[in-house]
Amino acid sequence: MSMLTPPGMGGKNRITGARYPRMRPRKNHHRLVLAVVGSALALGLVGWGILQLIDVFAGGGGSTAHASPDKRDCQPVSQSGQAGPSVPVPKPATITVNVYNATTRSGLAKETADELRKRGFRVGKVGNAPAAYDKKVKGTGILVGPKAVADARIDVLGTQLAGAQTKTDARKGRDIDFIIGDGYRQLTVKRDADRALTALTHPAPRPSASC
């Protein structure tokens, strides 16, 4: 046994020769690599964040959330709420109204017809209601128009009588029947009727999220 071998260190652990064993721990290369990679990623994220802030404050178009929509994609909104051209609203002078009295009170048809004429409507037939409606209308009145009329004629006449029911039938022509019911007292006050007609003719524009 060599004199350099301390007692109890014989066998495999004995020291031979003139060199001493090194007791330094082994270097952890994996941990060092991970630390370098992590630092590079952190620097990259910081740089990307700075570029995004610069783009936002400079008004750049990098973010689609703040991009303004293309005006070509904006379309006017019709009265029905769908995109497309608005349906023109006819004037009272172009609407012919037949006034019929379905109540037991006399003189209502003529009185109502005269007032409608003053408000600009064209008056057609005036008299008692047909048998299908005579003494059978409990509400204020019913407005009956042809199915073929695709415009807002009934809506225009409806501004003159709040709460009136509307119906269509297979009649020929474009006249509208104004059938007076038991609940009728008078036409809508002209001031209120004019406001309703104005709102129908010139509806307020609806905001669009895409325009």
Side-chain angles (χ1 to χ4, degrees):
M1 179 180 298
S2 171
M3 295 180 65
L4 299 176
T5 304
M9 296 188 65
K12 293 181 180 180
N13 297 322
R14 68 180 182 177
I15 299 174
T16 59
R19 302 181 61 183
Y20 292 90
R22 297 182 179 181
M23 306 301 290
R24 297 178 182 176
R26 297 179 60 185
K27 295 182 179 180
N28 194 336
H29 295 286
H30 296 287
R31 186 175 299 175
L32 179 61
V33 172
L34 291 176
V36 172
V37 173
S39 299
L41 289 175
L43 290 174
L45 289 175
V46 171
W48 180 83
I50 292 174
L51 290 176
Q52 291 298 312
L53 288 175
I54 293 174
D55 183 67
V56 170
F57 285 105
S63 176
T64 57
H66 300 281
S68 59
D70 190 345
K71 292 184 179 180
R72 292 173 298 179
D73 296 335
C74 299
Q75 297 182 359
V77 179
S78 65
Q79 295 175 10
S80 63
Q82 300 178 351
S86 299
V87 177
V89 178
K91 296 181 179 180
T94 64
I95 302 174
T96 300
V97 185
N98 302 318
V99 184
Y100 298 117
N101 184 7
T103 73
T104 57
R105 293 174 288 170
S106 62
L108 284 182
K110 183 179 184 305
E111 178 183 337
T112 303
D114 291 342
E115 183 62 27
L116 287 174
R117 190 179 288 108
K118 292 178 183 179
R119 298 187 182 188
F121 291 88
R122 297 171 60 182
V123 176
K125 298 177 182 179
V126 180
N128 293 327
Y133 295 100
D134 191 26
K135 301 179 180 61
K136 298 177 183 179
V137 180
K138 301 303 180 181
T140 58
I142 301 177
L143 307 181
V144 186
K147 294 181 180 179
V149 177
D151 56 25
R153 290 173 177 268
I154 291 184
D155 294 334
V156 172
L157 183 57
T159 61
Q160 310 301 310
L161 182 62
Q165 297 179 338
T166 59
K167 296 178 60 176
T168 59
D169 56 21
R171 71 180 61 192
K172 296 180 180 181
R174 300 170 67 85
D175 294 0
I176 297 176
D177 293 345
F178 188 127
I179 303 175
I180 302 173
D182 293 335
Y184 177 84
R185 294 296 176 267
Q186 62 180 9
L187 293 175
T188 301
V189 178
K190 189 176 186 305
R191 179 181 62 255
D192 297 335
D194 290 344
R195 290 177 180 174
L197 185 58
T198 299
L200 183 65
T201 308
H202 304 287
R206 299 181 182 180
S208 176
S210 60
C211 297

